[in-house]
Amino acid sequence: MVQESVVKSKRIAAPEFWRFFFFMFACFLHFEEDVYDDVFIVATGGHLVADFFFLLSGFAVAYSYQRKPIVGPTLQYVYGKVKKIYPDFLFSVLLMFILFVVYDSSGIKSVLLHIYECRFQYFFVNALFPTGLEMRSIWFLSYWVIGLVVLSYILKRKAILVWGGVALSFMSWHWCYIGTFYNNSVEPEFMWSVRLTKCVAQVLIGACTYELMKRFENVRFTPLGKFLLSVFEFLVIAYVIFYITQDGRNHVDYYICLGFVLIIMFSFWNKTYLSQILDNKVSIFLGKLSFPIFLYHLFVVRLFAIYLHNNSHKLIMYIGVALGILLSSYLFHLFVEKYFKKFLSFVCNALIVKE
């Protein structure tokens, strides 16, 4: 069995820490794009964080399903997820909308017109706003929900190994030709479908990985075996971190995604020294912050771009943006989100008659 965490929580600490850790690379990627005009220093491969997120989600859902199977219709299960995450998503969109209106010279009319023109693209296109203030990376929130629908349906029919194999076949083809997708070989109007299929496939691969790992849950290691496994885990993490900082979007992405799978397995398995070191309340706290960080980091990054564009004190800027993202995400999560959800609930109750 997966070794019990010493921290009494519904969450497993080590994967929560890695989710936060890799999300920060995505934050630095957007920071470098905005503040340093695509001059990448820390997170050239930060786009790969989306791969880690989908793999981890599939693994975590399959892990949870074994302990508490999904009861009732699949769509009811997914509806609970949507109701939990989309109010926060709408609030983050509102923040970016306000920021865009305040700082864009074209004015609110232009913004509203653009949003109207893109009204059918909210869930499949990452750019909601024109000329720079995009909701980049928000696109995969809806892909994640769609992936959960597909995965939940497959888990209830106990066919994850079959469909996981299909997903792996698709991803193998995708990785073999991954460079072509970023060289305009796919028409823009079809790009969203390629991304969606890729994201759903990664959710299924993550779940399939857990199904395979279950067969080794009861394995026990000697002190030497535990040491060697820990060394291997450290080398995998070092390899992934090194290549995330390099120029990505080539065949190396395949090996990085394989590294992500191994990191997820080790962190859930909780049998290595590093996973046991990360088994603490701080890791769980940081993991809980990862979703607010995902939602609000663009707001903080954009403020840095407006006031401190191309600042020469790079180390201070990186420290400042990291602290700004952490603090703002925590404050929004603590003091704003729950009131915004209550407001939306009040509006729905006032407009909709419940049977």
Side-chain angles (χ1 to χ4, degrees):
M1 295 178 63
V2 173
Q3 185 170 319
E4 290 295 327
S5 171
V6 298
V7 179
K8 301 300 180 182
S9 172
K10 293 181 180 180
R11 298 170 179 258
I12 301 177
E16 291 294 318
F17 172 82
W18 291 120
R19 182 167 63 165
F20 159 79
F21 180 83
F22 288 117
F23 262 27
M24 289 305 296
F25 278 101
C27 297
F28 287 134
L29 173 70
H30 295 149
F31 167 69
E32 291 170 348
E33 286 176 339
D34 275 1
V35 177
Y36 292 118
D37 297 328
D38 293 333
V39 177
F40 300 111
I41 304 166
V42 172
T44 306
H47 61 280
L48 293 168
V49 171
D51 298 344
F52 176 81
F53 174 80
F54 285 105
L55 291 167
L56 176 62
S57 295
F59 195 102
V61 170
Y63 171 81
S64 300
Y65 181 81
Q66 297 299 319
R67 286 142 185 83
K68 187 179 179 181
I70 299 169
V71 179
T74 300
L75 290 180
Q76 183 180 350
Y77 164 76
V78 175
Y79 173 72
K81 295 286 187 183
V82 170
K83 188 170 70 172
K84 183 178 180 181
I85 65 175
Y86 268 98
D88 300 336
F89 165 75
L90 292 174
F91 180 72
S92 66
V93 171
L94 178 63
L95 276 180
M96 291 299 290
F97 175 79
I98 293 172
L99 187 65
F100 187 84
V101 169
V102 170
Y103 287 100
D104 185 73
S105 59
S106 59
I108 190 170
K109 182 178 179 181
S110 173
V111 178
L112 292 174
L113 180 62
H114 181 81
I115 290 175
Y116 176 77
E117 291 171 348
C118 298
R119 63 191 181 279
F120 299 119
Q121 302 178 4
Y122 281 132
F123 300 108
F124 297 106
V125 174
N126 57 329
L128 296 186
F129 302 104
T131 62
L133 265 182
E134 317 91 23
M135 293 298 291
R136 285 165 305 179
S137 80
I138 298 298
W139 54 268
F140 75 70
L141 186 62
S142 294
Y143 291 1
W144 175 70
V145 172
I146 295 170
L148 286 185
V149 174
V150 176
L151 177 58
S152 303
Y153 185 85
I154 291 173
L155 285 175
K156 292 177 73 172
R157 283 151 185 79
K158 303 185 184 304
I160 187 59
L161 289 179
V162 174
W163 283 103
V166 174
L168 184 60
S169 299
F170 169 79
M171 287 306 301
S172 298
W173 170 78
H174 182 277
W175 275 317
C176 286
Y177 295 95
I178 193 167
T180 64
F181 287 134
Y182 295 98
N183 289 321
N184 299 319
S185 65
V186 177
E187 295 298 324
E189 58 266 28
F190 297 114
M191 181 62 80
W192 71 266
S193 60
V194 173
R195 285 175 171 169
L196 173 60
T197 309
K198 173 188 174 184
C199 293
V200 173
Q202 288 176 333
V203 170
L204 298 183
I205 291 171
C208 188
T209 301
Y210 173 72
E211 290 294 323
L212 295 174
M213 195 198 80
K214 282 196 308 182
R215 288 140 177 82
F216 303 96
E217 284 184 335
N218 294 322
V219 174
R220 294 187 178 182
F221 294 97
T222 64
L224 176 60
K226 184 176 179 180
F227 171 76
L228 293 177
L229 191 67
S230 299
V231 171
F232 180 65
E233 180 188 30
F234 175 80
L235 292 175
V236 170
I237 292 169
Y239 174 86
V240 168
I241 293 174
F242 173 76
Y243 275 105
I244 284 181
T245 62
Q246 307 301 310
D247 185 17
R249 293 178 175 166
N250 52 46
H251 66 280
V252 175
D253 291 7
Y254 171 83
Y255 304 111
I256 294 177
C257 287
L258 178 60
F260 283 150
V261 169
L262 292 173
I263 292 170
I264 292 167
M265 288 178 59
F266 286 134
S267 60
F268 270 91
W269 213 2
N270 202 21
K271 293 179 184 291
T272 64
Y273 292 114
L274 179 58
S275 295
Q276 291 171 5
I277 291 172
L278 296 176
D279 188 12
N280 56 65
K281 293 182 179 179
V282 174
S283 295
I284 292 175
F285 171 76
L286 293 174
K288 288 180 178 179
L289 270 188
S290 59
F291 183 58
I293 287 172
F294 159 70
L295 290 177
Y296 304 123
H297 77 276
L298 290 170
F299 182 78
V300 177
V301 165
R302 198 58 201 169
L303 287 176
F304 268 74
I306 291 169
Y307 291 108
L308 298 168
H309 188 71
N310 274 322
N311 189 288
S312 59
H313 301 290
K314 288 184 171 58
L315 178 59
I316 296 175
M317 289 284 284
Y318 276 97
I319 294 173
V321 77
L323 293 177
I325 288 169
L326 284 172
L327 181 60
S328 61
S329 299
Y330 177 68
L331 292 177
F332 280 129
H333 177 65
L334 195 62
F335 296 112
V336 179
E337 286 178 2
K338 63 180 180 180
Y339 298 108
F340 188 73
K341 285 182 178 179
K342 287 181 179 180
F343 170 73
L344 288 182
S345 178
F346 171 78
V347 172
C348 290
N349 290 335
L351 298 177
I352 300 173
V353 178
K354 295 183 179 179
E355 296 294 336

